[in-house]
Amino acid sequence: QVQLVESGGGLVQPGGSLRLSCAPSGFTFSRYGMGWVRQAPGKGLEWVSGIDSGGTSTGYADSVKGRFTIFRDNAKNTLTLQMNSLKPEDTAVYYCAKSVTTIWGRGTVDYDYWGQGAQVTVSS
């Protein structure tokens, strides 16, 4: 069965960096786009970033553009979200998600499997 396991969350000060990783299993990773979605306390799901199956196309929400970088290693079956210049408003649970196709989408409906989530807290 499809499983997505996130790691790398934690507490960081404003301006700091964190790297989230996702370990997928149960499907052919290289055939699907992937994404990251987050949910801040008391708010709905927000798409953060996406990457196509080959790693050649990426997209970012305006709120994280220029600060976050998504990349993947199909040989090692890993998905990563590098988060720099973190702000308190980035505090959320971050979910790794598998796309329904080879490409990424900006909507949560574009993803059919989700991980359990990793908590990211940005606070001084």
Side-chain angles (χ1 to χ4, degrees):
Q1 69 279 20
V2 173
Q3 285 192 315
L4 302 167
V5 180
E6 300 95 341
S7 60
L11 172 65
V12 64
Q13 292 187 340
S17 298
L18 277 177
R19 176 174 287 197
L20 297 179
S21 295
C22 175
S25 62
F27 66 103
T28 305
F29 180 62
S30 62
R31 293 182 180 177
Y32 292 90
M34 298 292 295
W36 290 93
V37 178
R38 68 186 181 185
Q39 186 167 28
K43 297 188 177 181
L45 291 169
E46 176 191 17
W47 174 80
V48 174
S49 182
I51 187 168
D52 72 343
S53 59
T56 58
S57 172
T58 59
Y60 300 92
D62 288 344
S63 57
V64 307
K65 196 173 295 183
R67 300 187 297 119
F68 289 12
T69 303
I70 187 172
F71 54 94
R72 65 191 293 164
D73 186 332
N74 286 345
K76 296 183 179 179
N77 261 32
T78 57
L79 175 73
T80 302
L81 184 69
Q82 176 66 43
M83 304 183 293
N84 298 330
S85 302
L86 283 161
K87 305 175 180 180
E89 52 263 42
D90 294 318
T91 295
V93 177
Y94 285 72
Y95 298 93
C96 169
K98 170 188 164 294
S99 173
V100 298
T101 68
T102 59
I103 62 176
W104 53 270
R106 293 181 178 270
T108 55
V109 295
D110 296 312
Y111 303 90
D112 55 0
Y113 287 93
W114 306 70
Q116 83 287 352
Q119 177 68 49
V120 171
T121 302
V122 185
S123 175
S124 55

